[in-house]
């Protein structure tokens, strides 16, 4: 590998990052360190720079999840994905801004302030992996990793105009990812091209003894992802697209459909009868899991501690002043949902609905190879537009959360721009552990220059 080339690239991206500092993409950089580590190895990611979301651990680096409660905390260990990236020769050049604890759809819920969209700085990047998507979109890093619980890789990828994959649940180790909702969380790659995305995906995927939920299922090879099985039948759940989706997004979906028809694929209508319950189900289960996962941030064990006279004040004041409003809202909702008397009405019921949603996808994938959906109902909205209306904000995830509930893999691909010049994203969903079908299809779409 050409050492000088990597050095020059890191310098150039650093200068560009300084010029674009107002976009608030990185919370911290480690260009020299990243370069040094990268040069110790060589592999699939040699010569590439990678940005990592601030909820993924790197030994001896701060890890804050964009939260005050983790200020001053430094990670004592490294996440498996980071280890794998470094072992493949990748240079980890910085940690990216995000919604606090990955809760949000706009990357505005951050102690560092909102991330701004490189396509229009008055607009949000989407969230919660907004910094990772923007870093790739603005050319500040070749590749990035984010985490996706209900859409947090796919929706910012759509808003910023890049590729973003949520792998099958269990495909990528969560060891070293700060848990938000453990039964949904999945780390995923972001890139400007499908080939780049594939290299990062095959690097980070695969079983890890340190994560008991990581699947022991063979990972597709680079070749299988580049040139995998050609899909024959595509399903579109038209009834979900009748209301509330921007027209320009539906037009791009049609462009993709026409391409498939011309390539000899069948497009069929499918139904996902329980998908209309996905938002409610997700926000019950994700908040319940979050309330339990975030109980550990008590002012004693990690980061920030509020000065107090006694122990109960210490807990109370550290949590009251350490968490931001959206995180507190979720902890309260989740605690309520799990409380005696309400548990069965909400949590148990939502688990049952999750099973039905999962079954919808299992049934549909008996018939089709891929499903198409928009990634989000709109393009990037203005900063501040939805921040005081959480329910409205939650609807930004209407097309991503059903996939997260089922655990199937899905990618958001850039599909042109709307009349304001804002990127449009389309979502391609595949069957469990069939990332290679999605990725090789996306490569054909990219080569066809449809958008
Ligand atoms: N926007 C969704 C939420 O707020 C998803 C976030 C995520 O995927 N981390 O929960």
């Amino acid at each position: 590998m050409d050492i000088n080339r990597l050095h020059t690239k890191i310098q150039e991206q650093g200068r560009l990052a300084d010029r674009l500092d107002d976009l608030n993409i990185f919370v911290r950089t480690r260009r020299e360190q990243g370069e040094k580590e990268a040069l110790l190895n060589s592999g699939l990611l040699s010569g590439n720079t990678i940005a990592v979301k601030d909820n993924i651990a790197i030994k001896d680096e701060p890890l804050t999840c964009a939260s005050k409660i983790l200020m001053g905390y430094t990670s004592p260990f490294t996440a498996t994905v980071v280890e794998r990236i470094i072992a493949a020769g990748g240079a980890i050049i910085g940690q990216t801004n995000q919604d606090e604890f990955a809760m949000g759809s706009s990357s505005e819920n951050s102690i560092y302030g909102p991330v701004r969209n490189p396509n229009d700085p008055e607009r949000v990047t989407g969230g919660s992996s907004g910094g990772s998507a923007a870093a790739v979109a603005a050319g500040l890093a070749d590749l990035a990793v984010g985490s996706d619980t209900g859409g947090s890789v796919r929706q910012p990828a759509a808003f910023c105009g890049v590729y973003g994959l949520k792998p099958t649940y269990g495909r990528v180790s969560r060891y070293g990812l700060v848990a938000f909702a453990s039964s949904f969380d999945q780390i995923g790659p972001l890139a400007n091209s499908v080939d780049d995305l594939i290299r990062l995906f095959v690097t980070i995927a695969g079983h890890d003894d340190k994560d008991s939920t990581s699947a022991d299922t063979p990972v597709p090879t680079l070749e299988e992802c580049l040139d995998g099985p050609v899909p024959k039948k595509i399903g579109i759940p038209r009834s979900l697209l009748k209301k509330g989706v921007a027209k320009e997004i539906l037009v791009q979906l049609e462009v993709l459909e026409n391409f498939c028809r011309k390539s000899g694929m069948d497009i069929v209508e499918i139904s996902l009868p329980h998908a209309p319950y996905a938002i409610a189900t997700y926000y019950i289960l994700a908040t319940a899991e979050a309330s339990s996962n975030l109980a550990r941030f008590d002012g004693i064990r990690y980061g920030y501690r509020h000065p107090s006279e006694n122990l109960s004040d210490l807990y109370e004041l550290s949590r009251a002043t350490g968490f931001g409003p959206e995180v507190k809202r979720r902890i309260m909702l989740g605690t309520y949902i799990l409380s005696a008397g309400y548990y069965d009405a909400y949590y148990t019921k939502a688990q049952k609905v999750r099973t039905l949603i999962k079954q919808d996808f299992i049934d549909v994938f008996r018939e089709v190879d891929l499903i198409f959906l928009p990634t989000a109902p709109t393009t990037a909205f203005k900063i501040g537009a939805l921040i005081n209306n959480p329910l409205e904000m939650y609807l930004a995830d209407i097309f991503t959360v059903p996939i997260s509930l089922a655990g199937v893999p899905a990618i958001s691909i850039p599909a042109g721009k709307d009349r304001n010049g804002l990127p449009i994203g389309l979502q391609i969903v595949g069957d469990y552990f069939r990332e290679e079908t999605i990725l090789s299809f996306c490569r054909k779409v990219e080569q066809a220059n449809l958008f």
Side-chain angles (χ1 to χ4, degrees):
M1 206 253 316
D2 187 342
I3 292 175
N4 287 331
R5 243 184 43 215
L6 178 66
H7 184 74
T8 312
K9 180 192 269 182
I10 290 178
Q11 300 291 313
E12 278 171 11
Q13 288 180 344
R15 279 194 293 275
L16 185 58
D18 290 342
R19 272 213 302 287
L20 299 179
D21 196 39
D22 288 350
L23 299 180
N24 209 8
I25 290 173
F26 283 104
V27 298
R28 136 185 11 99
T29 54
R30 55 192 308 282
R31 297 200 173 87
E32 272 178 37
Q33 179 71 15
E35 186 180 332
K36 264 193 233 145
E37 289 161 359
L39 296 175
L40 298 175
N41 297 290
S42 73
L44 265 188
L45 299 180
S46 283
N48 287 131
T49 58
I50 293 103
V52 172
K53 188 173 177 178
D54 192 26
N55 62 352
I56 298 174
I58 308 176
K59 188 173 182 322
D60 298 332
E61 298 283 359
L63 176 66
T64 73
C65 300
S67 181
K68 180 172 172 184
I69 210 152
L70 278 169
M71 284 299 147
Y73 175 71
T74 300
S75 177
F77 69 104
T78 294
T80 297
V81 292
V82 170
E83 272 176 1
R84 290 186 180 175
I85 289 169
I86 295 172
I92 298 198
I93 50 147
Q95 292 164 281
T96 53
N97 203 353
Q98 59 168 87
D99 283 301
E100 186 178 3
F101 285 102
M103 297 177 190
S105 310
S106 67
S107 298
E108 292 169 285
N109 302 327
S110 163
I111 190 74
Y112 307 105
V115 192
R116 294 177 177 275
N117 194 316
N119 297 278
D120 175 354
E122 296 306 308
R123 296 196 181 248
V124 302
T125 50
S128 63
S129 310
S132 289
V136 172
L140 309 184
D142 300 337
L143 298 158
V145 283
S147 64
D148 190 314
T149 303
S152 277
V153 164
R154 291 162 284 159
Q155 186 253 17
F159 280 15
C160 292
V162 301
Y163 292 89
L165 173 75
K166 182 199 84 76
T168 310
Y169 182 78
R171 180 59 104 184
V172 175
S173 168
R174 294 186 293 115
Y175 181 73
L177 167 69
V178 178
F180 156 16
S182 320
S183 75
F184 298 85
D185 297 342
Q186 191 60 192
I187 293 177
L190 296 118
N192 277 310
S193 76
V194 182
D195 285 21
D196 284 354
L197 187 114
I198 289 174
R199 283 189 294 117
L200 183 51
F201 168 67
V202 298
T203 302
I204 61 175
H207 179 71
D208 178 15
D209 280 341
K210 293 180 184 143
D211 170 6
S212 63
T213 61
S214 95
D216 207 354
T217 309
V219 178
T221 61
L222 188 65
E223 291 68 32
E224 283 165 342
C225 292
L226 292 170
D227 197 11
V230 180
K232 292 188 190 68
K233 216 178 201 184
I234 314 279
I236 302 189
R238 301 227 188 256
S239 66
L240 301 180
L241 308 178
K242 285 205 181 109
K243 272 198 311 229
V245 189
K247 185 124 189 290
E248 289 166 288
I249 298 178
L250 294 176
V251 169
Q252 299 303 68
L253 183 60
E254 255 178 64
V255 172
L256 185 62
E257 282 179 49
N258 288 336
F259 164 77
C260 292
R261 277 195 203 94
K262 274 198 208 116
S263 313
M265 300 169 202
D266 276 346
I267 309 271
V268 297
E269 179 155 358
I270 53 160
S271 90
L272 295 166
H274 300 92
Y277 305 104
I279 288 275
T281 308
Y282 170 81
Y283 277 95
I284 289 172
L285 297 176
T287 54
E289 292 187 30
S291 73
S292 141
N293 276 324
L294 271 59
R296 69 180 65 125
F297 302 108
D298 52 7
I300 306 279
R301 286 173 285 183
Y302 305 85
Y304 169 74
R305 176 177 304 171
H306 195 281
S308 325
E309 300 286 309
N310 57 56
L311 187 62
S312 66
D313 279 2
L314 190 158
Y315 287 143
E316 222 175 284
L317 293 170
S318 298
R319 284 171 70 83
T321 58
F323 290 127
E326 180 61 25
V327 175
K328 279 193 261 191
R329 175 160 36 241
R330 305 242 184 153
I331 292 173
M332 284 189 277
L333 270 172
T335 308
Y336 176 79
I337 284 160
L338 292 176
S339 60
Y342 292 101
Y343 183 95
D344 281 340
Y346 294 110
Y347 187 76
T348 309
K349 183 87 172 202
Q351 289 288 27
K352 290 179 180 165
V353 181
R354 183 179 194 175
T355 304
L356 295 172
I357 291 172
K358 207 170 162 181
Q359 195 57 49
D360 284 353
F361 280 91
I362 292 172
D363 293 343
V364 163
F365 279 118
R366 285 207 187 95
E367 303 292 323
V368 305
D369 303 302
L370 294 172
I371 298 172
F372 291 171
L373 275 170
T375 307
T378 66
T379 52
F381 42 87
K382 289 247 167 79
I383 289 178
L386 301 185
I387 198 74
N388 295 319
N389 191 343
L391 279 180
E392 189 73 11
M393 183 79 89
Y394 295 171
L395 289 175
D397 305 319
I398 192 150
F399 296 124
T400 49
V401 294
I403 284 109
S404 305
L405 284 156
V408 288
I411 194 172
S412 178
I413 63 165
K417 297 200 164 166
D418 71 2
R419 74 184 88 96
N420 297 318
L422 299 168
I424 290 172
L426 293 178
Q427 203 178 187
I428 322 282
V429 189
D431 202 355
Y432 294 95
F433 298 105
R434 302 315 294 268
E435 285 89 354
E436 72 279 14
T437 310
I438 301 179
L439 292 166
S440 51
F441 171 76
C442 290
R443 206 158 166 257
K444 296 213 172 65
V445 174
E446 187 182 39
Q447 284 161 356
N449 266 322
L450 294 183
F451 302 111

